[in-house]
Amino acid sequence: MKIKMAPFDYINYFILGIFCFLTLYPFWYILIISFSTTKVYYSDWLHIIPKSFSLDAYKYNFQNNQVFLSFLTSVVVTVSGTIISILLTSMTAHFLAKKDIKGRNFIFILFIISMFIHGGLIPSYVLITKLGMRNTIFALFIPLSINNYFLILTKNYFSNMSPSLEESARLDGANELIILFRIIIPVAKPMIATIALYYAVQFWNDWFSPMLYLSNQKMYPLSLYLRGLISAATSSIDTGDYTSGSPATIRAAVIIITITPIICVYPFLQKHFVKGIMLGAVKE
């Protein structure tokens, strides 16, 4: 049986098609540029259809072993930082979600105040140096281990859970750690998956902290190392060296290299993404 479409359906599909194109075109644009030659890049300003294929920009980025060391550093920082952040955020949110604990509101207010008022860059640098974490990998994720916004989402999510879950567990002799890791966290899997993705993106893209706390280039994460490559590529092009491509093609290749790991991880967490955000955003 053939279904007839109303004029509104055609208009609706047309509008949705435009929004789909506007969403996908920037990614396609960057991908096309990353594989373009310098000549094609300057002659074609739309970059909708590939007109050339060149790996010069990627060869420039992978010309030495430092990119692999930086990639390994980024993986270690992202995985370690995400695990520690999830643990600390979950434990803190579990404490703040308990309505029978005195003073929890005061502590929660302190977390909120710290979102708007903080010590500043110089005190943070002095603190990291005094703690002996400068030029160590710990300086890249320990100071960022708890994000207050993610903490608020997790705390609201835990507050909406049924108190009977903890009560029944206590009747069976479970302590707070068992309740948190064997009951609360498994039930809050959508929320945990959501903030895990947020934390992973945060650690993967962070270049400012490594720039402050690391002076050894061999310890640079991928984001900071590729940022240096862009600066070096721009300098070489400014001096007339076009053998490695234009700054735009090298920059596009850097973007593709940087976002590919996150794009590969996102589909595994996407099913929890919307549910976790909606439930974590509900007030008590």
Side-chain angles (χ1 to χ4, degrees):
M1 182 178 178
K2 188 176 181 179
I3 301 177
K4 294 183 179 180
M5 296 178 59
F8 173 77
D9 295 329
Y10 290 102
I11 297 175
N12 192 24
Y13 282 123
F14 177 74
I15 295 176
L16 291 177
I18 293 177
F19 279 108
C20 182
F21 173 78
L22 294 177
T23 303
L24 297 178
Y25 177 67
F27 296 97
W28 178 252
Y29 180 84
I30 293 297
L31 183 64
I32 294 299
I33 290 178
S34 68
F35 289 106
S36 298
T37 61
T38 303
K39 181 179 179 180
V40 170
Y41 168 73
Y42 285 110
S43 61
D44 182 15
W45 62 278
L46 286 177
H47 299 288
I48 297 179
I49 301 175
K51 296 182 179 180
S52 64
F53 181 81
S54 174
L55 296 176
D56 290 340
Y58 290 93
K59 290 178 181 178
Y60 180 87
N61 292 324
F62 290 100
Q63 62 185 349
N64 55 56
N65 294 329
Q66 179 59 39
V67 67
F68 299 102
L69 294 177
S70 297
F71 182 84
L72 180 61
T73 300
S74 292
V75 170
V76 173
V77 170
T78 301
V79 173
S80 303
T82 301
I83 293 175
I84 292 177
S85 296
I86 290 297
L87 291 176
L88 295 180
T89 302
S90 300
M91 295 172 67
T92 307
H94 179 59
F95 167 78
L96 295 176
K98 292 183 175 295
K99 300 179 181 180
D100 57 339
I101 295 181
K102 296 181 179 180
R104 74 178 184 99
N105 291 330
F106 174 74
I107 298 176
F108 185 62
I109 291 175
L110 294 180
F111 277 103
I112 295 178
I113 292 176
S114 65
M115 296 176 64
F116 306 98
I117 303 175
H118 52 85
L121 183 60
I122 295 178
S124 300
Y125 180 83
V126 173
L127 177 62
I128 296 299
T129 304
K130 293 295 184 180
L131 292 176
M133 290 195 297
R134 188 172 178 272
N135 278 325
T136 65
I137 199 172
F138 300 103
L140 305 184
F141 59 86
I142 294 297
L144 304 175
S145 55
I146 294 184
N147 184 294
N148 290 345
Y149 176 70
F150 302 156
L151 175 63
I152 293 174
L153 291 179
T154 310
K155 180 254 184 186
N156 290 339
Y157 193 104
F158 288 173
S159 298
N160 291 323
M161 288 186 176
S162 175
S164 60
L165 291 174
E166 296 189 30
E167 295 174 359
S168 59
R170 288 194 181 90
L171 292 176
D172 293 334
N175 57 30
E176 293 297 332
L177 290 178
I178 294 178
I179 293 175
L180 175 62
F181 290 105
R182 300 188 63 178
I183 297 178
I184 302 298
I185 291 181
V187 172
K189 187 184 297 183
M191 187 71 242
I192 299 300
T194 301
I195 64 172
L197 178 62
Y198 281 155
Y199 274 122
V201 173
Q202 169 186 291
F203 289 117
W204 183 265
N205 292 333
D206 183 35
W207 61 268
F208 189 69
S209 297
M211 185 182 67
L212 289 178
Y213 305 131
L214 298 181
S215 58
N216 186 1
Q217 186 175 355
K218 293 183 178 180
M219 298 182 61
Y220 282 1
L222 188 61
S223 56
L224 182 59
Y225 176 69
L226 295 182
R227 179 179 178 270
L229 283 182
I230 294 177
S231 300
T234 303
S235 299
S236 64
I237 298 303
D238 290 340
T239 58
D241 181 12
Y242 288 86
T243 58
S244 300
S246 67
T249 59
I250 295 175
R251 183 165 55 249
V254 168
I255 294 174
I256 297 299
I257 294 172
T258 305
I259 68 176
T260 297
I262 297 298
I263 292 177
C264 294
V265 172
Y266 182 80
F268 298 98
L269 302 176
Q270 191 269 342
K271 62 180 180 180
H272 303 296
F273 191 77
V274 176
K275 183 178 179 182
I277 286 296
M278 292 301 295
L279 294 179
V282 178
K283 297 181 180 180
E284 289 188 68

